[in-house]
Amino acid sequence: MVSDMVSRYGIRKTLCNALMRVRLFLLNATGRSISVGEGGYICLGAKIIPGNGKISIGKNSYIGSGAVLNAFGGYIELGDNVSVNHYSVLYGHGG
């Protein structure tokens, strides 16, 4: 039973990661500047809004559901192993 739950969780996480990568590819293809390091995970429901700015998320970092990262034309840089928990808000005003 436990292995079945782990298997289902692994499939769900893999699918969410694939969807996240497609979403980031489409955002970057439209000229948006977003980068996510290896092992970085952005939950569905998180809002990553570079505007005219840039957002960089480090390796093995986690962005929870409902979190908002909005650069507002500035720059947001998260290092490696960072956790932005559910419903947190980060603004990157400035130049």
Side-chain angles (χ1 to χ4, degrees):
M1 181 172 160
V2 172
S3 64
D4 186 41
M5 288 172 50
V6 170
S7 175
R8 279 187 276 170
Y9 173 74
I11 290 171
R12 181 171 183 237
K13 186 173 180 182
T14 301
L15 179 59
C16 287
N17 275 332
L19 289 172
M20 177 195 69
R21 296 290 173 192
V22 168
R23 188 172 69 180
L24 288 173
F25 173 79
L26 292 173
L27 283 170
N28 285 322
T30 60
R32 307 294 174 109
S33 187
I34 302 170
S35 65
V36 179
E38 183 180 333
Y41 185 76
I42 301 172
C43 289
L44 294 175
K47 292 183 170 84
I48 311 297
I49 308 164
N52 292 326
K54 185 175 180 180
I55 297 176
S56 175
I57 300 169
K59 296 178 188 175
N60 302 313
S61 292
Y62 170 84
I63 310 298
S65 180
V68 176
L69 279 68
N70 192 333
F72 283 110
Y75 188 72
I76 296 175
E77 181 178 5
L78 303 177
D80 296 342
N81 305 307
V82 171
S83 176
V84 177
N85 294 314
H86 303 279
Y87 302 104
S88 297
V89 178
L90 299 175
Y91 290 148
H93 294 284

